Amino acid sequence: MSLVVSGLFSYPVKSLRGHSQASTHITSWGPDRDRRWMVVDDSGQFMTQRQLPKMCRIGARYQGGDICLWHLDSPADAIEVCLDGSEKERYVGVWEDSCTALDAGDAAANWLSAQLGVSLRLCYMPDYSYRQVDLQFAERGDRLGFADGFPFLLCNEASLQQLCAGLGRSVDMQRFRPNIVISGAVPFAEDHWRRIRIGDIEFDVVKACARCAIPTVNLDDASREADVFRALKAQRQRGDEVYFGQNMIHRGEGEIRLGDAVEVLALN
């Protein structure tokens, strides 16, 4: 059976709800405009569903150069955020990294704070800001936005099916926040891939993705489901970590689409 791209997802704001798309434009950053926005606390530290699971109930989508946020339980409760050049710079933290961002202003901060019940700010990573991918796995000059550590995450449909068989029920692939989903492979075949090609673009498959509590969040009601992590541990624990999906770095720019063939170029 041939390997194909069966899902493509974009996450405009780190840890807010993502959305599927028919194609992904890839730039030097990775997926175009993916996780260029981020929610931070008053000290500038990033906030995610780890601390605030209700972030999964807030949608985010680009409208031209602006971004629209809305609560999925009340779609009419929305805000459009635009950058007009008057934004103040601030340093923000993502794990061990600190980088320059633009604060999106009080209206966006007040809206997010009201939705999530804690004081928050919204910020944007401008083109001149720079965040290096970990040089243990990357080349100097490999950059990314506010994603945890790598510009791409790949997941395999068959791997999720096997996880769900052990769990005894289905869970949504979007819990794992992949950019690219593939079908046609056996479960966890991706563990052995080291380089792949999709369309005209090659990707280094550099590191299995260690998982936190985010996949336990039910996207329908933001509740935590501990059995999901127990199933992950039962099938995917290696040492002190559990793994699902593969982090990737792209080696080219262009377009990938649903249905594109996936070619494995190198195995470990």
Side-chain angles (χ1 to χ4, degrees):
M1 186 175 180
S2 59
L3 308 182
V4 299
V5 175
S6 58
L8 293 168
F9 295 92
S10 177
Y11 308 91
V13 182
K14 182 179 182 65
S15 226
L16 298 191
R17 191 67 163 253
H19 59 86
S20 62
Q21 48 192 20
S23 64
T24 294
H25 183 61
I26 297 172
T27 71
S28 63
W29 293 80
D32 187 31
R33 301 193 291 178
D34 184 80
R35 283 169 274 216
R36 293 285 294 273
W37 297 80
M38 183 169 71
V39 179
V40 300
D41 64 16
D42 289 336
S43 69
Q45 288 300 305
F46 75 117
M47 300 292 286
T48 73
Q49 292 176 38
R50 299 172 184 88
Q51 303 98 339
L52 299 171
K54 289 183 179 180
M55 290 177 75
C56 78
R57 300 300 298 159
I58 298 179
R61 189 179 295 272
Y62 283 104
Q63 294 186 346
D66 303 333
I67 195 164
C68 181
L69 308 180
W70 71 96
H71 199 292
L72 274 69
D73 296 329
S74 52
D77 188 3
I79 185 171
E80 187 169 328
V81 182
C82 61
L83 301 178
D84 62 11
S86 65
E87 295 76 26
K88 295 181 179 179
E89 286 189 352
R90 65 180 303 166
Y91 284 104
V92 297
V94 189
W95 297 112
E96 293 81 15
D97 296 335
S98 179
C99 51
T100 303
L102 301 177
D103 189 289
D106 290 343
N110 293 339
W111 188 90
L112 278 168
S113 300
Q115 301 300 325
L116 295 169
V118 61
S119 183
L120 300 167
R121 307 292 299 182
L122 181 67
C123 61
Y124 175 76
M125 184 181 285
D127 288 345
Y128 59 80
S129 187
Y130 180 79
R131 184 170 169 233
Q132 169 69 48
V133 182
D134 187 344
L135 290 170
Q136 181 180 351
F137 305 99
E139 299 173 2
R140 189 165 297 280
D142 290 337
R143 73 188 307 187
L144 75 162
F146 289 129
D148 271 359
F150 297 88
F152 284 91
L153 177 68
L154 175 141
C155 288
N156 174 1
E157 281 188 3
S159 302
L160 180 62
Q161 290 166 5
Q162 182 163 305
L163 175 68
C164 291
L167 180 63
R169 59 187 174 84
S170 296
V171 296
D172 194 322
M173 179 67 88
Q174 283 200 66
R175 291 189 185 211
F176 296 90
R177 302 183 72 79
N179 302 101
I180 301 171
V181 180
I182 61 97
S183 64
V186 300
F188 302 109
E190 65 275 18
D191 288 350
H192 307 289
W193 299 347
R194 283 299 164 260
R195 195 171 181 91
I196 66 172
R197 180 187 294 121
I198 302 175
D200 296 326
I201 301 178
E202 294 187 8
F203 298 82
D204 290 336
V205 185
V206 295
K207 182 181 179 294
C209 183
R211 308 310 310 213
C212 61
I214 287 179
T216 71
V217 177
N218 184 319
L219 299 180
D220 293 329
D221 61 10
S223 63
R224 292 199 187 277
E225 298 173 338
D227 59 339
V228 174
F229 205 77
R230 287 196 295 269
L232 274 169
K233 288 186 70 174
Q235 296 188 35
R236 300 293 296 164
Q237 185 163 9
R238 308 289 185 271
D240 295 331
E241 300 282 4
V242 295
Y243 296 93
F244 189 91
Q246 293 289 327
N247 293 301
M248 304 196 304
I249 301 172
H250 54 302
R251 299 303 175 203
E253 300 182 26
E255 200 90 6
I256 60 175
R257 300 173 178 82
L258 291 178
D260 277 354
V262 179
E263 181 182 0
V264 179
L265 302 177
L267 299 168
N268 64 1

